[in-house]
Amino acid sequence: MNDLYAANTPAAFWRPVQSISPVLWDGAARAAAGVLPPGLAESASNGAAAGILGRALDESLFGEERYRLSGLKSIYYAVARPLLPTWVRPLLRKVYHPADDVQSALGWPVEDRLVRFQFALLARVMDELGQDALNIVGLWPGGNRFACVLTHDVEARPGHDFVRQVMALEEKYGFRSSFNFVPEGYRVDGDLLDEMRARGFEVGVHGLKHDGRLFASRQLFEERAQKINGYARQWGAVGYRSPMTHRNPEWMQSLEIDYDLSFFDTDPYEPMAGGSMSIWPYFIGRFVELPYTLMQDHRYLEVLEQRSPDLWLEKVDFIEDHYGMVLLNSHPDYLLKPGGMAVYEALLAALAQRRDCWRALPREAADWWRRRAATDAAQLATPAGRAALPEAVVWTIENRGNRLVANVPGAR
């Protein structure tokens, strides 16, 4: 499975303008690996940099069975869940995973060790080069220091019928987002999809049925994947998220998508708990992965009963400080409940005040990440190279007292 993550090398992530040897990257990665969780750090002693990153991104900390539901959960999705009224399911989540902390190999809601690894690795490279600064292709286009991507999963018909209200609220603060619909879960209004696209929003696919059985067997997955691909073509969709974030990166290579949204940096409360630890996009085989990095709204609003965006914004501060990607997965089905839209509006209002933030649709973020990876960084110094990636800005990463800081031209 690690081959699916082979494109995620430190050199591909940092994109330095000057040439740096693979041997130097590998040595720096091994030297920096001590900041990673023990299960990863211990296996890095003789590893290459790409392999160390791959083991982090593929959630190997969570064991061989990490992409398989337990027997009890499988029975729940196959037998019990279809019989439950939709209003009961959030209550069960609240009882099954209360607000108390759960045991996890990762921190939550902030897991900083892969972030620290990436920065420690680059600092080691700069030390070996004898440089206090290094020019890279900026992580984000223009003068933007971090990215903000808003996504929604529309689980049922009430959420579907609330989409226009959510769009209007986002437009008020200058945002656009994606909405992922369940093709065979309820009737999807084609006029709504047309209106969304006309207003600058994005349409995505959210499984085939919202029944938790998509990954019950390889055969069933492949049968449903063909139908999912058909709906994606019909809707002009290039993005996807699996219901309940059930996932299997190897099987998902059958999906004809440009990007996926089914993974996350850290979340011990999902049916398949885990986390890639990444606050940036990365590659999984054929597609770009855009992991969600903010706590999902059902836990935030219904389990933790938050009535302000402050806890979300604490994580935003961390992501902004490390030039990452703020990505929220929220649900019109939950936002329509009392208090939901008020908290979401407060979050949008706060994000709108953030400077140097790239407000991107997920398809734009994925396209940027793919084109950035495909561009010869050294060629950005030439007119032809700049034409290939015109929105690229060369950042200067400076080592200021053992802390790496990006000098971003154009940032305010």
Side-chain angles (χ1 to χ4, degrees), residues 54-349:
R55 285 190 292 276
L57 295 173
D58 77 358
E59 304 180 272
S60 63
L61 281 175
F62 297 89
E64 295 294 329
E65 302 296 310
R66 59 193 178 278
Y67 299 127
R68 183 175 299 172
L69 291 171
S70 67
L72 185 60
K73 290 179 180 178
S74 297
I75 293 171
Y76 166 73
Y77 286 111
V79 180
R81 192 176 188 276
L83 302 176
L84 294 175
T86 55
W87 62 268
V88 173
R89 296 169 190 168
L91 297 179
L92 286 180
R93 278 197 292 269
K94 190 169 183 176
V95 172
Y96 183 68
H97 281 316
D100 299 333
D101 290 339
V102 299
Q103 295 297 317
S104 175
L106 303 182
W108 181 87
V110 175
E111 167 53 61
D112 70 346
R113 284 172 287 185
L114 184 67
V115 176
R116 289 163 52 202
F117 169 76
Q118 288 281 31
F119 281 83
L121 181 155
L122 190 64
R124 184 69 179 226
V125 166
M126 293 166 66
D127 287 344
E128 291 294 323
L129 294 172
Q131 299 177 192
D132 292 327
L134 189 70
N135 290 334
I136 68 165
V137 181
L139 290 168
W140 305 110
N144 297 296
R145 302 174 69 90
F146 72 110
C148 180
V149 180
L150 301 176
T151 72
H152 307 278
D153 291 345
V154 185
E155 293 189 355
R157 185 70 196 192
H160 172 285
D161 295 342
F162 196 64
V163 163
R164 286 186 174 90
Q165 288 92 321
V166 179
M167 288 196 297
L169 180 62
E170 291 174 348
E171 288 171 328
K172 175 181 176 181
Y173 292 96
F175 290 92
R176 298 294 188 277
S177 64
S178 71
F179 290 82
N180 305 306
F181 295 92
V182 184
E184 296 184 5
Y186 44 81
R187 185 181 64 82
V188 179
D189 187 345
D191 290 339
L192 173 62
L193 303 189
D194 291 341
E195 178 184 339
M196 291 173 60
R197 288 186 285 260
R199 291 167 65 173
F201 290 81
E202 184 177 351
V203 175
V205 183
H206 189 38
L208 185 70
K209 306 172 186 288
H210 208 281
D211 60 2
R213 299 190 64 246
L214 180 60
F215 294 93
S217 71
R218 185 65 181 266
Q219 179 179 348
L220 178 62
F221 176 83
E222 296 297 341
E223 292 171 356
R224 290 192 175 188
Q226 291 184 27
K227 294 183 178 181
I228 290 169
N229 292 336
Y231 283 108
R233 289 191 293 269
Q234 178 183 333
W235 292 350
V238 297
Y240 171 84
R241 182 182 281 122
S242 290
M244 286 82 70
T245 68
H246 294 182
R247 58 203 186 277
N248 183 309
E250 184 177 358
W251 297 9
M252 291 168 68
Q253 300 305 304
S254 296
L255 297 174
E256 297 169 1
I257 54 177
D258 290 344
Y259 71 85
D260 174 67
L261 301 161
S262 306
F263 294 72
F264 37 85
D265 65 334
T266 176
D267 195 336
Y269 296 102
E270 285 298 89
M272 292 180 179
S276 67
M277 300 188 285
S278 179
I279 61 170
W280 304 281
Y282 53 94
F283 293 95
I284 303 181
R286 66 182 297 165
F287 52 78
V288 177
E289 183 59 40
L290 303 178
Y292 70 76
T293 54
L294 293 190
M295 191 189 312
Q296 289 199 51
D297 57 340
H298 60 75
R299 173 148 296 274
Y300 194 88
L301 297 172
E302 299 199 9
V303 179
L304 300 183
E305 299 180 344
Q306 296 293 303
R307 293 299 174 258
S308 82
D310 293 349
L311 188 57
W312 268 331
L313 292 172
E314 289 178 13
K315 181 74 174 283
V316 172
D317 289 340
F318 169 76
I319 294 171
E320 180 178 359
D321 286 346
H322 295 92
Y323 318 107
M325 177 182 65
V326 173
L327 194 148
L328 175 64
N329 176 27
S330 60
H331 303 72
D333 309 82
Y334 300 112
L335 295 178
L336 62 80
K337 296 181 179 181
M341 284 290 270
V343 178
Y344 189 51
E345 180 168 12
L347 174 67
L348 295 177

Side-chain angles (χ1 to χ4, degrees), residues 362-404:
R363 69 171 182 240
E364 295 170 336
D367 178 66
W368 161 258
W369 204 255
R370 193 182 297 277
R371 289 188 299 116
R372 178 180 181 269
T375 300
D376 184 342
Q379 294 301 311
L380 289 178
T382 69
R386 288 194 297 274
L389 199 64
E391 60 270 62
V393 173
V394 174
W395 294 6
T396 300
I397 306 294
E398 300 175 349
N399 194 338
R400 301 179 185 172
N402 294 322
R403 179 174 181 265
L404 298 189

